[in-house]
Amino acid sequence: MRCELARAMEMTFPKYRKLAGSNSVYAIEGTHHVTEWQPMGSEGWIVHRHFASDYPRFVWIREMEQCSGDFESLTSNEWKELIAARHEHQPTEAIGRNLDPLSHPEECSFNWAMAERTTFGVEASARACAEVRSDAGVRWALCEAQRQTWPLMILGGGSNILMHSDWPGLVMHMNIRGVEVIYEEGNVVHATVGAGENWHDWVMLATQNGWHGLENLALIPGSVGASPMQNIGAYGVELKDRFLWLEAINRETGALQRFDHEVCQFGYRQSIFKAEERERWVIVRVAFALDRDAPLCTEYGAIQSELEAMGVAESATHFDVAQAVMNIRRSKLPDPNELGNAGSFFKNPVISREAFQKVLANHPDVVHYALESGQVKLAAGWLIEQAGWKGYRKGSCGVHDRQALVLVHYGGGTGAELWNLAQSIMEDVKLKFGVQLEPEVNQVGV
Ligand code: EPU
């Protein structure tokens, strides 16, 4: 048993190499990723990140891994000593990218209070928490959870979870920051964003810089790293429309891997990270493809009428659209800083055309959207409101009075109380409409 544990703690990646006859050192971060430290002058390093986007580079990494040619293997201690012997010279364009190989938490904080780190604000504590600010920090926390045999939870903005009990293990609090433009040509801008950046702050930074396409997603709570998990969406735009790729670290091996658009299998509030690849990866950065000349997307919902109310309908800019979305959201969604909530608690149910015909027969005014797949999406908010729950309150929990999809926590309540309310709503909607609702919010410790 002890041996098995010791083996499990040793991650496969990074692997460390040195080029014989030179002072360059390498960390193989995954089958397609290498970080190279090249000596500069007598004291510094210059750091290059290589991604094998073509076959020759992939072979170069594989040869390095196999120590063929002039590559020699280093232990992690040998590598650390070599790196620490010189100062790092970080390329200036790598804003906020934490390249310091020795930067990781080294220690956990214990009895970590979670109420103020999750937007529902339900009291709960975690046995331990590691604040991670770099890829190295992620690997350190993964090893620490394995070493202690603690269950691991990855927490971003805490805007999509409901805590039912204290967390018995380690919380990895994602704090990898930074925005880096990696490509710019004509109107096209590609940028990578650290998983720990706040989603709304990133949307506003992009909009203010003229990197357009995300403005309809303003004010969605949460972190950038969580956004691809459920392909966040609002007002006719989804993350997948501007997604380029993401990089994630494998929880078992420590390998860094890039996932492009197709591999992520995005769907309505869905991705591979909620399906086959669930709980296998830690997303560390996301790359977006933006466009200075992106078309304005104003057809959806109340955007057009809000732009009219703002007096800019004829001359609206991307920034105006972001402002309109913020106005609409503020008018009907509660601010988590004032009233605990996790946005939409339920997903809009997607049902077959036959099932829809049955609902329609009894409820001709049911709000619905036909999907390309032939299925039909219903507005869960409408179903819940028609069932009479909008504005309902029992003790410290309730249903928001301006958007029935949102459960609210007035303070002092528990996850179990909110979950009881959610279950009552699901049962009632099933009874009245024959439609099964599903929570969108992740339930922890049920
Ligand atoms: N409706 C009601 N009563 C309600 C709420 C909605 O009758 O209390 C009906 C209305 O007819 C409305 C329709 O439902 O026209 C759709 O409502 P809305 O446009 O507000 O959007 P939604 O389907 O309720 C989804 C997302 C929101 C996102 C909005 C806007 C889901 C689960 N939710 O809500 O996302 O902001 O569209 O695009 O898909 C979130 O995920 O936290 C979130 C807020």
Side-chain angles (χ1 to χ4, degrees), residues 235 268-269 329 332 344 346 348 379 385 390 403-405:
Y235 303 103
Y268 168 62
R269 293 294 197 272
R329 289 187 75 100
K332 61 180 199 177
S344 306
F346 302 101
N348 285 328
E385 180 174 347
K390 196 172 186 171
Q403 165 56 286
L405 254 187

Side-chain angles (χ1 to χ4, degrees), residues 179-193 199 201-217 237-245 286-295 318:
V179 173
E180 185 184 353
V181 172
I182 52 169
Y183 174 84
E184 197 164 4
E185 174 134 5
N187 287 326
V188 176
V189 178
H190 293 175
T192 69
V193 187
W199 173 263
D201 292 348
W202 154 237
V203 170
M204 295 318 284
L205 178 86
T207 309
Q208 276 153 2
N209 278 306
W211 312 333
H212 297 137
L214 293 174
E215 45 291 335
N216 293 46
L217 304 179
V237 175
E238 288 180 310
L239 169 113
K240 72 174 173 61
D241 303 331
R242 292 290 161 192
F243 175 91
L244 191 59
W245 48 253
V286 183
F288 296 88
L290 304 164
D291 181 356
R292 292 185 187 279
D293 198 26
H318 295 87

